[in-house]
Amino acid sequence: MGILIRILVTALAALLTAYLLPGVRLQDFTTALLLAIVLGLLNLIVKPILVILTLPVTVLTLGLFLLVINALIVLWASSLVKGFKVDNFWWALIFSVVLSVISSIMMALGPSGNNE
């Protein structure tokens, strides 16, 4: 059940982020759901490989290169998901940062996993 909530939260956060940023376009909620699934799969499969391959650069930049990796994953997702368009690398970078902030806030406001 947790994965479904995370997908829904990411989809809503993506819709809100695309609304806020003029360089990002997202067609509708169905496209946002598909985008959330694609981003989740890319982050699960591709991101660890990229992090390992770029570890020296990531350490040298004190972890800031991870933002570049996130932007590349967003650009790749925009080429895979029809109805999701990012104008350039910089909008992808801003989108990834704003998306993670908004989804973190939304997850913190939601119900916790504790039954206390």
Side-chain angles (χ1 to χ4, degrees):
M1 190 67 173
I3 189 85
L4 293 176
I5 291 172
R6 183 161 291 280
I7 289 172
L8 287 173
V9 166
T10 304
L12 288 172
L15 275 175
L16 181 60
T17 305
Y19 177 76
L20 293 173
L21 300 177
V24 179
R25 286 171 292 291
L26 192 55
Q27 189 173 356
D28 54 9
F29 185 70
T30 307
T31 307
L33 279 174
L34 183 60
L35 174 66
I37 292 169
V38 168
L39 282 175
L41 288 173
L42 287 175
N43 282 328
L44 181 70
I45 298 167
V46 177
K47 187 174 180 178
I49 296 168
L50 289 176
V51 168
I52 290 171
L53 290 175
T54 61
L55 193 59
V57 176
T58 303
V59 170
L60 192 65
T61 61
L62 303 175
L64 290 177
F65 193 74
L66 292 175
L67 294 172
V68 173
I69 292 174
N70 286 341
L72 292 174
I73 287 175
V74 168
L75 285 174
W76 194 6
S78 74
S79 68
L80 294 174
V81 177
K82 301 296 182 216
F84 175 59
K85 173 96 171 71
V86 180
D87 286 345
N88 56 35
F89 173 80
W90 298 108
W91 284 117
L93 183 70
I94 295 168
F95 178 83
S96 68
V97 171
V98 173
L99 178 69
S100 79
V101 168
I102 290 175
S103 63
S104 295
I105 291 170
M106 289 174 74
M107 288 299 287
L109 293 176
S112 65
N114 301 351
N115 290 330
E116 296 181 78

